[in-house]
Amino acid sequence: MDFDCLEFVNKIATIESNGDTLDHLPRLITLACQKNQELQVYQRLNELGNKNAIRVEQLCAENNQDFSKSVHQLSVVRNELHTLRSHIADLNTDIQASGKDLKNMKQQLNSLKDSERQLFLCQDLTQSCLRVLYKLRDAQELLSKKQYLPSLRICSEVEKIYLERIKGLTIHSHVQQMISKMQNSVCSSALEDLHEWLFSLRKKLPFVGEICFREIDEARRRWAKNYREDLTNLTSKTPLSLDLAILEYVDFDPLDNDLVKVDFNPLYVCVQVHSYLGILSSFQASFEKDRKRQQEFLAPKNLESINLEVISEWLKSVAGYMIVEYYILQEIPNFRSYEEVQNIWSIICDKLIESILRVAFSEQSTTAIIKMKNYIVLLMHTMERFGFATQRLHNLSVDLIDAFGGALMLKHLASFEDAFETDLYAPMVINNEKEYEELIAPYWKLPPSPLPRMVEFSKMCSLCCITLSKFTRHFYMFSNDSITLALDVQEKIPRFYRRFIMHSLLERLKNLYPKLNLSQMAQLVKNFYAFEEPLIQMEKTLLISKSTSQGGSENSNVNSKSSDILEGLANARKSALHEIFVKINLKIDDFIGLAEYDWSTTVSRTAPSGFLQEMVPYLQTIYLDSLAGLFNHDKSYVYLETLDHLCTAMIDLLSNPAIRRVSTAAAEGFKVDVEYLEKFASQVPDQSIVNADSFIELRQCANLLLGDNIEDYMDTDKFTRDFNRLHPSTSIKLLERLISGYSSNPLSNDRPKRRAIENLLTVFRRKTN
């Protein structure tokens, strides 16, 4: 056998573990097969087996006694183990019996422990419920003491901490309801206190406004006393800077003084309560509605006229109301928005402006308007001090200037009426120096003359100028040391001055025309001339004062404005002169109505008509006496108008459609009347009347009716030239009356003249068509 196989067999023999020996056998067998030494290996293994069997037998012989002893001992142990097992079984039986008793006792103990836990739990729940009830009782007591916020805090504490401990109990829902009701009660009580506060505040608002008005007015008076020169020379400062200067004098607390005290605590509490409950936004909306509703109650229900007591109370309440809004805005951030307050202020201004203007323009008392304006100015300064926009109030004050001006014109209109009623409509006589200084010197610059002296105008002029002077002085009273209105008054007074002259003085004088006779009308025309100097001078003074206040040139726009008054006076003179010749023309028409012409007469006359013999002396008296005081150009205007009307009336008389033909004798009589009127016109002491040849149309009418020369009718151009002042329609009427006197018989001697007239009629009719 190879050494390697032998060593491998020996190595296996040294292995004590049977398992390891068996593990090496496959390799040993494989190796023996490879070397063809299976027999050698088998023999070697048998040898080793025999040796081991001999070794086992030796070991058994050596250890047999010990083994027998061990078996005996094992038997003894087995018996004792059996005995012990019996004892254990008995003991187990006893233990099981005791365990059942112990289990019962343990169950009883557990039951007792559960009962104890339930008792402790009930005790805790009871204590928790008592704590909740005690807390709610404390909250209710605080609510009754109007300590709303602590009451809410307790409710919140109960809801967040204590209420969780009693969750699941029936009382839990009741407590929740109680908390909700208590929160509602707190909210309602706070709102009730707020409404009571708002109601009491409404009564205090006039006092708040009164204090502000008083302080502002005192500051204004102090300022006006110290800086009065700035009111007469407004160019030194702007009105805005002067307003601010006034406000610098004011330092007071309108809500905490001797007269009134306003505590905002109810509002603070209400805001805190609603903020704590998380419903501040709804409260803000509700509060805004309440404030808007309250401002509606400030305005008087029916203001049909200026009731100073009512208006004063209203404006003071408005001032107090807005001051409270201002303090709420400042003291409670994020509660009231600036836009909400401004919206309320805008609504108040709308109502204020609409109501004031409605009654102001129907008011005739200037004193009432001034006092109302003073209240508005005080409100404006008060609101400006608290940062509110006051431009609309200023505009309202400016609009009141118009109302004041209208009332002032009505007030002084009575003075005009008295002057008109008492005037003699004759030149005024100045008897002494006092009358001259009072009636003449302030308004006219007359050349020196000894007293007594006579002036061309009547006393009405002086009295009206005095009234106008008073009107301007009283108009300036509207500003009443008001810096903001001084410039506006100076701006408007020239316009009202002109309006007063145009619509009150001149229009009222025009209304007098029907009541005045011709001499009075002539004096009135002279008065219109006399008005020019004082009225223009007073207006220039007003315009220069306005221009100086605005820092402009003194003469700017003065002449252009004065032309309005001059034009008004000129129109008034023209209307007066027109009224004069209308009166004369009516009298002429009356005389013409007495005319008794016999157009078919065959008897000639050499004397003028009777109605002319009565009318001409009347006109001579009018011209020489009644109108003697008129200036020459005005007399010429009246003369020309009246004579022209007389000429037209005579032509209309001749053109009467009832006249079918005019006889030669009637035409000759008519020519006598024309010559009589021409003689009268030539004797009028006015060369312009003589040159005017007022009765040329009448003369041409007479010449046309008496024309015997057939050549006058044969040549159309010559006819038109000789009778150029006659209107074609008049010529047609006269020619129709003339042709009726000529025979249409072809054998008649009048036939050629008739044919010539017919040709003329054809030409004139063609022209008129």
Side-chain angles (χ1 to χ4, degrees), residues 596-653:
E596 296 181 351
Y597 281 104
D598 184 2
W599 300 106
S600 61
T601 183
T602 58
V603 180
S604 300
R605 59 181 173 87
T606 57
S609 298
F611 78 95
L612 290 180
Q613 293 183 30
E614 294 179 3
M615 182 178 65
V616 168
Y618 167 77
L619 293 177
Q620 288 175 337
T621 303
I622 293 296
Y623 292 164
L624 298 177
D625 295 336
S626 299
L627 304 182
L630 288 178
F631 294 109
N632 290 333
H633 60 278
D634 290 332
K635 286 191 288 187
S636 299
Y637 173 72
V638 175
Y639 293 164
L640 290 173
E641 290 292 335
T642 54
L643 294 179
D644 184 63
H645 177 75
L646 176 57
C647 178
T648 303
M650 292 291 288
I651 292 175
D652 291 341
L653 187 64

Side-chain angles (χ1 to χ4, degrees), residues 241-256:
S241 65
L242 298 180
D243 289 339
L244 295 177
I246 287 178
L247 296 178
E248 290 176 358
Y249 278 73
V250 183
D251 185 15
F252 65 97
D253 189 345
L255 301 182
D256 187 8

Side-chain angles (χ1 to χ4, degrees), residues 314-546:
W314 182 16
L315 297 182
K316 291 175 182 177
S317 298
V318 167
Y321 179 91
M322 294 310 301
I323 290 171
V324 169
E325 285 291 332
Y326 170 81
Y327 274 87
I328 292 175
L329 192 64
Q330 298 296 320
E331 299 297 328
I332 309 178
N334 302 323
F335 176 63
R336 298 280 282 160
S337 68
Y338 179 80
E339 289 74 16
E340 291 174 348
V341 177
Q342 286 297 326
N343 182 44
I344 292 179
W345 173 234
S346 178
I347 294 173
I348 291 176
C349 288
D350 290 339
K351 181 64 176 179
L352 192 65
I353 292 171
E354 187 271 333
S355 301
I356 293 297
L357 290 181
R358 185 181 67 251
V359 300
F361 282 94
S362 62
E363 179 62 41
Q364 298 183 2
S365 172
T366 55
T367 303
I369 294 176
I370 287 179
K371 290 183 178 180
M372 183 173 64
K373 178 269 304 180
N374 292 337
Y375 285 125
I376 293 174
V377 171
L378 290 175
L379 175 64
M380 179 178 67
H381 287 313
T382 301
M383 293 298 96
E384 189 174 15
R385 182 182 185 274
F386 292 95
F388 291 99
T390 58
Q391 184 60 42
R392 298 183 67 189
L393 292 181
H394 174 75
N395 295 339
L396 173 60
S397 301
V398 174
D399 291 338
L400 288 181
I401 298 177
D402 296 335
F404 174 76
L408 194 62
M409 287 194 294
L410 289 176
K411 178 180 179 180
H412 287 84
L413 186 60
S415 300
F416 283 158
E417 299 288 354
D418 293 340
F420 302 157
E421 293 293 332
T422 58
D423 194 55
L424 300 177
Y425 295 94
M428 180 173 55
V429 178
I430 307 300
N431 297 307
N432 50 55
E433 188 68 27
K434 180 180 179 181
E435 290 183 358
Y436 184 83
E437 293 297 328
E438 180 182 351
L439 301 176
I440 303 298
Y443 312 108
W444 291 275
K445 294 180 180 180
L446 301 180
S449 179
L451 298 176
R453 63 179 296 185
M454 181 180 291
V455 294
E456 294 182 346
F457 48 86
S458 65
K459 191 175 182 179
M460 171 207 303
C461 294
S462 296
L463 296 180
C464 290
C465 289
I466 291 173
T467 299
L468 287 169
S469 180
K470 289 181 179 179
F471 174 80
T472 56
R473 290 198 304 271
H474 291 169
F475 205 104
Y476 279 115
M477 291 173 58
F478 185 84
S479 60
N480 190 26
D481 294 339
S482 175
I483 304 143
T484 56
L485 294 177
L487 287 177
D488 296 298
V489 169
Q490 290 182 347
E491 175 71 26
K492 287 178 176 285
I493 189 170
R495 177 160 55 86
F496 274 94
Y497 173 78
R498 289 190 294 273
R499 185 188 301 176
F500 192 37
I501 293 174
M502 299 294 186
H503 298 285
S504 297
L505 176 60
L506 299 182
E507 290 297 327
R508 294 286 175 169
L509 285 174
K510 291 178 181 179
N511 294 337
L512 294 176
Y513 293 170
K515 303 177 183 178
L516 302 179
N517 57 39
L518 291 174
S519 61
Q520 291 174 329
M521 288 297 300
Q523 181 61 53
L524 191 58
V525 172
K526 294 171 66 177
N527 287 351
F528 286 136
Y529 282 107
F531 273 128
E532 289 184 1
E533 180 181 349
L535 298 190
I536 295 302
Q537 186 58 41
M538 281 191 278
E539 186 187 33
K540 285 183 177 180
T541 302
L542 296 176
L543 291 173
I544 290 173
S545 175
K546 167 188 170 183

Side-chain angles (χ1 to χ4, degrees), residues 170-231:
T170 305
I171 196 174
H172 180 274
S173 59
H174 293 299
V175 171
Q176 281 185 324
Q177 294 177 1
M178 291 176 63
I179 292 174
S180 179
K181 290 181 180 179
M182 190 167 295
Q183 289 175 342
N184 293 333
S185 298
V186 170
C187 189
S188 300
S189 299
L191 286 174
E192 184 178 350
D193 292 346
L194 178 66
H195 291 156
E196 292 178 359
W197 177 75
L198 289 174
F199 181 77
S200 63
L201 181 63
R202 179 181 173 185
K203 297 180 179 180
K204 296 179 181 179
L205 294 180
F207 298 104
V208 176
E210 181 179 353
I211 291 174
C212 293
F213 285 7
R214 183 181 63 193
E215 294 293 334
I216 293 289
D217 190 50
E218 290 177 357
R220 183 186 62 81
R221 294 179 185 275
R222 289 195 301 270
W223 190 94
K225 181 178 179 181
N226 296 332
Y227 301 97
R228 184 170 294 275
E229 64 276 6
D230 285 316
L231 294 174

Side-chain angles (χ1 to χ4, degrees), residues 652-676:
D652 291 341
L653 187 64
L654 184 61
S655 304
N656 191 333
I659 301 174
R660 295 299 179 183
R661 62 183 297 272
V662 178
S663 66
T664 302
E668 289 176 348
F670 185 78
K671 186 175 182 180
V672 171
D673 291 344
V674 173
E675 291 173 348
Y676 180 69

Side-chain angles (χ1 to χ4, degrees), residues 745-760:
N745 191 340
L747 300 178
S748 173
N749 294 330
D750 296 335
R751 180 60 180 171
K753 192 172 183 178
R754 181 182 178 89
R755 184 178 294 278
I757 294 175
E758 288 176 348
N759 292 334
L760 282 175

